Amino acid sequence: MAQPPKPHAVVIGGGIGGLTSAIALHLSGWRVTVLERAATLEPVGSGIGLAPNSQRALDVLGLGDRVRSRAALEGDGGMRAQNGRWLVRLSASAAASEFGGSLVLLHRANLVDLLVSALPADALRTGARAELADPGAADRRAVVRTEGGDIEADLVIGADGINSAVRSALFPAHPQPTYAGFTAWRIVVPAPDRPFEPHETWGRGGVWGTHPLKDGRIYAYATATVPAGGHSPDGEKAELARRFADWHDPIPAIIAAARPEDILRNDVRHMSTPLTHYHRGRVALVGDAAHAMAPTLAQGGNQAIEDAVVLAHHVDPANDLAAGLAGYSAARVPRTTAIVRQAARAARMNHLTNGPLIAVRNELIAAAARLGPNLILRSFASIADWRPPQQPYAAGTQVAQR
Ligand SMILES: Cc1cc2nc3c(=O)[nH]c(=O)nc-3n(C[C@H](O)[C@H](O)[C@H](O)COP(=O)(O)OP(=O)(O)OC[C@H]3O[C@@H](n4cnc5c(N)ncnc54)[C@H](O)[C@@H]3O)c2cc1C
């Protein structure tokens, strides 16, 4: 007997959230189409840190070990002050035992390549700008408008990032994301001549992080409290030098090694007013479209990956879609809202500009580390501890620590 056709899920946006959603829904029995407006999927040239929470979500998709094999282990090194003094020394093994798994870092292009390779053939359409024309209802399919014509969908995923037009269409009165108060620079540079210890350094009004990628190159990021919308008239390399060249080694050498055209600068914005639902009609929001957050906890992409597997768990094609989408919102809104707030608090803490306050903060961090480095890790543990609702992590399932 002929099988009934699979229900059709249309994903608007081919970033990390959209690609993982499409893979998860495909594995749950949906026919998937991903519409990405860019002509090619070329992620920004930077690294991305994946914590054990999103790695477990990737395990559900059969991709966890493939990601781990392309990534460098993170966690060795620690936190430093601007003059180079170590405030906290950490080890990858301590982080792994505190979080039930390792932190890893990989180049975004590697992650995107892997996600695309797990999509069914013909699922991805690039150069395809899409717009939500109708969110649909229980008795009416949703409609997505493209230059090539309208597409009717049983389910639409709004994975169109921080400036989500899908979010605005669903919740037109909701405030837009706001400036988080700082700008971020990212660079990938060749391996340095001298060995260095990975670090994140909290200085006056800014942060600098230096971490190795698996191929030996270095991923570095910096943030600074500046007015929104700025760009350096003499280039971002000069700006980084002005702000960070007198910080400790290896920061000056990394700035010197950066090619100006490779330096990314983005003002950081976040959703300071959270949504109360991530769905309406037949549409669900995932990733930055739902809960854009400051990168201080390196969780935006991780949470997008969690969204994808939780969504696929709830919207089983055999079950009632409205109930499934309500279950998705109920599962995701509290967790992601709390993480957006935690990321904003962390941003305030690591962008202090007042010298005496910085000294007090650094002493408190160093004292906490003397009591036990794991105290520092513990604040992140409730994020990293997360487990997906599906096998092999479903409640009651024993899974070896990775
Ligand atoms: C400095 C910095 C460092 C970060 N570091 C980390 C980290 O280490 N770990 C981590 O987990 N997260 C990190 N993040 C956050 C992470 O990058 C984001 O949370 C994540 O990329 C969001 O993915 P997304 O798929 O939701 O959105 P996006 O990556 O923005 O993807 C949205 C996609 O939708 C497409 N699109 C938009 N509109 C349309 C349309 N109308 N039609 C079709 N396509 C459309 C866009 O072209 C884009 O490809 C960092 C962020 C910053 C700024």
Side-chain angles (χ1 to χ4, degrees):
M1 210 169 65
Q3 294 286 319
K6 290 179 175 182
H8 190 195
V10 174
V11 181
I12 302 180
I16 292 168
L19 295 174
T20 40
S21 295
I23 298 164
L25 290 167
H26 162 65
L27 293 174
S28 303
W30 293 82
R31 178 164 77 87
V32 291
T33 302
V34 181
L35 303 171
E36 166 55 49
R37 69 180 171 193
T40 55
L41 286 188
E42 278 176 17
V44 295
S46 76
I48 183 160
L50 296 179
N53 50 314
S54 68
Q55 292 173 45
R56 292 187 198 102
L58 290 164
D59 284 333
V60 170
L61 309 182
L63 298 174
D65 284 338
R66 289 170 67 192
V67 164
R68 292 180 192 97
S69 71
R70 293 173 185 213
L73 266 188
E74 267 205 290
D76 277 335
M79 289 173 63
R80 305 180 77 167
Q82 189 170 328
N83 62 6
R85 174 190 166 207
W86 286 94
L87 302 173
V88 185
R89 280 191 178 271
L90 297 170
S91 72
S93 59
S97 74
E98 195 61 39
F99 307 145
S102 299
L103 299 164
V104 302
L105 179 72
L106 71 167
H107 198 285
R108 281 177 188 250
N110 277 327
L111 178 60
V112 167
D113 283 352
L114 188 62
L115 296 176
V116 170
S117 75
L119 281 175
D122 304 332
L124 175 64
R125 293 192 208 161
T126 52
R129 181 181 293 277
E131 182 192 338
L132 182 68
D134 179 354
D139 59 353
R140 195 178 74 244
R141 296 173 94 201
V143 180
V144 173
R145 186 148 296 155
T146 71
E147 280 176 10
D150 286 357
I151 305 173
E152 289 201 356
D154 299 286
L155 173 65
V156 175
I157 313 303
D160 49 346
I162 187 166
N163 298 317
S164 174
V166 177
R167 180 181 65 234
S168 297
L170 297 185
F171 307 107
H174 194 82
Q176 292 298 315
T178 52
Y179 184 49
F182 60 99
T183 204
W185 293 267
R186 287 173 281 181
I187 21 174
V188 175
V189 298
D193 301 338
R194 283 182 288 151
F196 74 97
E197 289 186 84
H199 66 98
E200 183 167 290
T201 296
W202 292 11
R204 194 185 188 110
V207 171
W208 183 287
T210 314
H211 301 275
L213 293 166
K214 183 149 192 176
D215 61 10
R217 285 182 300 166
I218 301 297
Y219 168 51
Y221 54 85
T223 59
T225 42
V226 293
H231 278 285
S232 175
D234 53 351
E236 299 307 327
K237 181 164 172 154
E239 184 69 21
L240 286 175
R242 268 191 296 277
R243 291 181 175 277
F244 299 100
D246 61 348
W247 288 31
H248 65 80
D249 276 346
I251 297 171
I254 288 170
I255 297 172
R259 295 192 312 175
E261 62 273 28
D262 293 340
I263 302 175
L264 299 163
R265 174 174 175 165
N266 301 94
D267 280 352
V268 173
R269 291 182 303 133
H270 63 160
M271 286 185 65
S272 39
T273 308
L275 288 166
T276 55
H277 294 83
Y278 293 161
H279 75 284
R280 216 191 100 202
R282 290 177 172 268
V283 186
L285 298 173
V286 301
D288 281 6
H291 44 63
M293 61 188 71
T296 34
L297 301 171
Q299 275 291 313
N302 281 265
Q303 291 305 309
I305 295 169
E306 284 189 16
D307 288 343
V309 299
V310 175
L311 176 67
H313 173 73
H314 283 279
V315 295
D316 187 317
N319 296 337
D320 177 58
L321 182 69
L325 288 173
Y328 167 68
S329 278
R332 296 304 296 159
V333 170
R335 174 167 167 80
T336 49
T337 300
I339 295 173
V340 171
R341 289 195 176 127
Q342 194 175 333
R345 277 197 302 278
R348 284 193 291 278
M349 181 65 90
N350 61 21
H351 288 93
L352 293 179
T353 50
N354 174 303
L357 276 183
I358 291 171
V360 170
R361 176 198 68 192
N362 288 357
E363 282 319 311
L364 286 173
I365 293 171
R370 280 194 296 277
L371 285 173
N374 289 9
L375 278 181
I376 301 291
L377 298 172
R378 212 147 289 161
S379 61
F380 190 63
S382 64
I383 296 176
D385 263 356
W386 179 87
R387 281 163 163 67
Q390 298 98 325
Q391 298 293 347
Y393 293 103
T397 318
Q398 293 290 321
V399 186
Q401 180 176 306
R402 291 170 183 275

